[in-house]
Amino acid sequence: MVKIVVTGFGKFGNIIDNPTTKLAELLKDDANVHEVHVLEVSAEGVRAALAPLWQDAADPTVFLHMGVNGGSKQIDLEQFGYNLANFNIPDERGWVAKNETITANEAASLETTLPLEKFLAHCTEQGCKVALSNDPGRYICNFTYFLSLAQTKARPNHHIMVKLIVTGFGKFGPVLINPTTKLATQLKDDPIVHTSFVLEVSAQGVRAALEPLWAEAKDDDETTVFVHLGVHDGTKTILLEQVGYNIANFRMPDEQGWVAQNEVIVADQPDSIRTHLPLETYHAALKAEGLQVELSTDPEDEQLHSIKTLLGLLSTLDDANTPVAAHP
């Protein structure tokens, strides 16, 4: 899993009650957050507090640094940190930097590798007031951000993107309108999802559609997660399937006419394979979100809400390429 370290700031200048102090405190109990720190607003204090955290960031780690912009009416997602300290007021240890280089032998600016455009689209969709920015000032906020960008740039896997591929199914047997068709279609425009499409309900159709994606994922540097949506008409909940079984035994023909009878799916493979995704963690997180992962009077909307929440959890993975199945 990706480790998220959140920082806020304490008092400085005439800002006695820094709102990022309270935000940091509120985030301490968030299930997605690994550590929270309130930093002293000083160059020396920032270096002293963050140096051991940068050093310990062996696992994939995202540092989320929160700062105050008194002239902004929204959350600004900063795209760049600048290798320049130019303070209008002293920091909390009395230093007044005047056009000082923060890190020697570094570029004049560094850009985050996080996909801020996708984050912006997702946050806006959720009704949040968020904007992209390329000016974090030149005070301690920028000082902190540039140092973190420089430190994480020097490390392998300093940023990990997870590619999410979602599949639904088309018609089969008496099911002419498959709900996973609509779910997969609705998820096409989700900023977290890389690709979403509908599979023909046939063994040959599935192989033909997915084999190129499996091959691409095997050679890709990015982590790929396959989310396969299927129909289970005997349940009133969304089931996160833990195990796939190496047997095909069809009660009706697939869409190309094959009726498998106790056929092995893949030779030289075990009878079953368990996903190594932390489904227990996802289940707990869904419950913590207050979601009832079950059918309702408007089942497709309820299913989509739950699936989108699951995708948000999956987007934080650093596991190897792996599938997960969800049955609404």
Side-chain angles (χ1 to χ4, degrees), residues 21-243:
T21 299
K22 185 172 183 179
L23 284 171
E25 293 292 334
L26 290 172
L27 289 170
K28 277 187 176 179
D29 296 326
D30 190 286
N32 296 311
V33 175
H34 184 265
E35 292 183 47
V36 172
H37 301 270
V38 175
L39 304 175
E40 178 187 79
V41 182
S42 72
E44 290 184 8
V46 166
R47 288 186 189 274
L50 291 181
L53 300 179
W54 293 324
Q55 187 65 33
D56 291 343
D59 296 326
T61 304
V62 173
F63 291 90
L64 174 61
H65 301 302
M66 299 184 295
V68 172
N69 180 0
S72 179
K73 294 184 178 180
Q74 73 272 324
I75 292 176
D76 294 321
L77 302 177
E78 297 295 344
Q79 302 173 89
F80 296 91
Y82 297 90
N83 195 6
L84 183 67
N86 191 30
F87 299 173
N88 292 326
I89 59 173
D91 70 11
E92 287 295 289
R93 298 196 187 185
W95 185 41
V96 185
K98 292 300 180 184
N99 295 318
E100 303 273 354
T101 297
I102 297 172
T103 304
N105 302 319
E106 268 292 357
S109 65
L110 293 174
E111 183 176 6
T112 180
T113 58
L114 291 171
L116 295 190
E117 293 82 1
K118 285 190 174 184
F119 294 171
L120 173 66
H122 186 66
C123 290
T124 301
E125 186 180 87
Q126 298 298 313
C128 303
K129 293 183 178 180
V130 182
L132 295 181
S133 170
N134 57 14
D135 186 9
R138 300 297 183 270
Y139 193 49
I140 296 297
C141 288
N142 173 70
F143 186 92
T144 303
Y145 193 31
F146 184 84
L147 282 178
S148 259
L149 288 170
Q151 288 291 327
T152 55
K153 178 177 74 75
R155 294 178 177 274
N157 295 324
H158 63 277
H159 166 57
I160 289 182
M161 279 293 293
V162 177
K163 183 184 292 183
L164 291 176
I165 296 177
V166 177
T167 68
F169 283 111
K171 67 180 182 65
F172 68 98
V175 180
L176 300 182
I177 301 176
N178 193 320
T180 67
T181 298
K182 185 172 182 179
L183 285 170
T185 301
Q186 288 178 303
L187 289 169
K188 279 185 177 180
D189 297 327
D190 192 292
I192 296 174
V193 175
H194 181 266
T195 304
S196 182
F197 60 97
V198 176
L199 298 171
E200 178 187 76
V201 182
S202 72
Q204 289 186 16
V206 166
R207 288 186 188 275
L210 291 180
E211 280 179 348
L213 297 176
W214 294 329
E216 181 181 333
K218 185 177 180 181
D219 296 332
D220 203 333
D221 291 334
E222 294 180 335
T223 296
T224 302
V225 176
F226 292 87
V227 181
H228 301 304
L229 307 177
V231 172
H232 186 335
D233 62 3
T235 184
K236 294 183 179 180
T237 61
I238 288 181
L239 302 176
L240 303 179
E241 299 294 349
Q242 300 177 86
V243 181

